[in-house]
């Protein structure tokens, strides 16, 4: 989308020097992405202290399991066909009913 805006020259100079931007457009887009990412982080932080963990507390999730060898290479799986929308909705409803 083409938009004309008036930007403070000193602020634009600081932004251009702050990052590896080749154009003013790149600097403005990076700033907009940063604002959107910060808003998403704030949304996630609203859940802090409100979610309950129901997993196994004895497992150290920061390390791979000892009984399984660490994966040394990336294994690429074949794409799986997605279920149709009505089938996904029925499966979701069934999962909710099982709670």
């Amino acid at each position: 989308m083409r938009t004309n805006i008036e930007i403070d020259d000193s602020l634009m100079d600081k932004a251009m020097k702050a990052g590896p931007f080749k154009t003013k457009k790149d600097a403005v887009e990076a700033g907009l992405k940063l604002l959107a990412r910060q808003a998403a982080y704030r949304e996630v932080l609203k859940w802090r202290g409100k979610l309950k963990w129901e997993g196994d507390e004895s497992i150290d999730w920061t390390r791979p399991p000892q009984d399984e060898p660490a994966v040394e290479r990336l294994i690429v799986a074949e794409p799986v066909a997605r279920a149709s929308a009505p089938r996904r909705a029925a499966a979701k409803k069934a999962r909710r009913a099982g709670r």
Side-chain angles (χ1 to χ4, degrees):
M1 167 178 32
R2 184 165 190 82
T3 303
N4 293 327
I5 54 175
E6 186 73 28
I7 300 175
D8 181 11
D9 289 332
S10 65
L11 182 60
M12 181 57 75
D13 290 338
K14 289 178 186 177
M16 293 293 288
K17 291 176 186 173
F21 308 117
K22 293 182 180 178
T23 65
K24 292 178 181 179
K25 178 185 178 211
D26 291 342
V28 171
E29 285 182 352
L32 293 173
K33 288 177 185 177
L34 177 63
L35 284 171
R37 188 170 50 237
Q38 287 176 340
Y41 288 157
R42 281 191 299 273
E43 190 64 29
V44 168
L45 288 174
K46 288 180 183 178
W47 290 98
R48 187 174 187 176
K50 296 179 181 175
L51 300 176
K52 182 181 176 188
W53 174 255
E54 295 180 358
D56 187 352
E57 293 291 336
S58 66
I59 298 174
D60 182 4
W61 294 101
T62 62
R63 298 176 186 251
Q66 295 300 323
D67 57 344
E68 296 178 20
V71 177
E72 295 181 5
R73 62 187 172 86
L74 178 64
I75 300 171
V76 179
E78 293 294 321
V80 178
R82 292 190 60 165
S84 66
R87 287 181 58 199
R88 284 193 308 264
K92 186 176 182 180
K93 188 175 182 180
R95 282 192 306 269
R96 285 185 178 168
R99 290 185 185 169

